[in-house]
Amino acid sequence: MNQILIIAGKETEKENLVGLLDYYSPSQILYASNSKQAKELIASTTPSLIIINAPLPSESAQDLAIFMTQRTDASVILLLPESYRNIKEYSGEDYGILILYKPFKRSEFERTVKFAIAFENRIAKIQEKNKKLQKQLTEFRTVHRAKCLLIQHLHMTEPQAHRYIEKHAMDCRQSKLEVANNILKTYHEV
């Protein structure tokens, strides 16, 4: 279940935003009324979307938005008053913060939320692919270390060491990684 964190200083602002998010019913909506509560929440939860409604009572909403982009993988939407539109300091482009100026139309809000969720989903897929590639790289390094040990201790050539690991893996119905780990253990190189 996706979690959406709403950070708004006033209860009425929170209720208005919850009402706008009613079409995301499978999502769990979390609420914080200030930056301290929000920081405590992200320490124990992993929201996929964070919506910050400026102004906040205790901290700059933009500073909190930047903090959230640095500490979470969530998409961040910052809702700013129209008077902030031409202030250069309130540009979130460098941090990937989506900014929506108030007042806004429901369709603008929905489009921004959909974009933020799509962006977060894309990032999640990239992170999953990265984990898979990291695992493959670790496996490759382990097998390579095992080949080097076979070359060093048994005086095999690189193709012979490679073939030995592959053949042993097939014969013993093990992965090449398991065979490589056994070779590392044999030569105390773990």
Side-chain angles (χ1 to χ4, degrees):
M1 176 186 297
N2 288 334
Q3 293 180 326
I4 299 174
L5 173 58
I6 296 174
I7 307 164
K10 297 177 184 168
E11 186 70 24
T12 55
E13 294 171 340
K14 173 204 156 203
E15 294 302 324
N16 290 339
L17 290 170
V18 169
L20 290 170
L21 292 167
D22 62 357
Y23 59 94
Y24 290 104
S25 56
S27 296
Q28 178 187 9
I29 298 179
L30 308 170
Y31 172 67
S33 61
N34 58 51
S35 60
K36 183 180 178 196
Q37 287 178 351
K39 289 174 182 178
E40 289 171 359
L41 270 172
I42 65 157
S44 60
T45 61
T46 53
S48 57
L49 175 62
I50 300 172
I51 301 172
I52 303 172
N53 191 29
L56 293 175
S58 59
E59 183 179 351
S60 158
Q62 184 185 16
D63 290 345
L64 181 60
I66 291 169
F67 177 86
M68 292 298 179
T69 61
Q70 293 170 340
R71 298 294 196 292
T72 72
D73 293 330
S75 294
V76 178
I77 299 174
L78 179 59
L79 306 176
L80 292 172
E82 181 65 35
S83 59
Y84 287 55
R85 185 179 290 273
N86 295 322
I87 300 175
K88 177 86 170 115
E89 290 79 37
Y90 281 90
S91 171
E93 296 163 354
D94 294 341
Y95 300 96
I97 300 168
L98 299 167
I99 297 178
L100 190 59
Y101 294 97
K102 302 181 284 187
F104 49 78
K105 296 178 184 171
R106 182 182 184 102
S107 62
E108 292 174 318
F109 181 77
E110 289 175 357
R111 184 173 46 250
T112 303
V113 169
K114 285 179 183 176
F115 178 78
I117 290 173
F119 183 71
E120 196 277 331
N121 289 339
R122 188 168 184 192
I123 293 294
K125 286 178 184 174
I126 290 170
Q127 288 174 332
E128 187 62 37
K129 188 174 184 179
N130 189 23
K131 284 180 188 176
K132 187 177 180 181
L133 290 172
Q134 288 293 336
K135 183 179 175 188
Q136 288 175 343
L137 183 59
T138 301
E139 182 178 321
F140 175 79
R141 286 179 177 158
T142 302
V143 170
H144 184 73
R145 282 178 48 213
K147 281 191 225 177
C148 289
L149 288 172
L150 292 174
I151 292 167
Q152 179 184 357
H153 292 284
L154 300 179
H155 308 292
M156 292 183 178
T157 65
E158 195 278 333
Q160 288 172 331
H162 181 81
R163 175 73 181 128
Y164 175 85
I165 291 172
E166 280 187 337
K167 184 168 180 357
H168 198 72
M170 285 188 297
D171 292 346
C172 296
R173 296 184 183 194
Q174 293 179 326
S175 69
K176 289 193 288 185
L177 180 62
E178 290 171 317
V179 172
N181 281 329
N182 289 336
I183 292 168
L184 294 176
K185 286 177 190 173
T186 301
Y187 295 103
H188 308 291
E189 295 284 333
V190 179

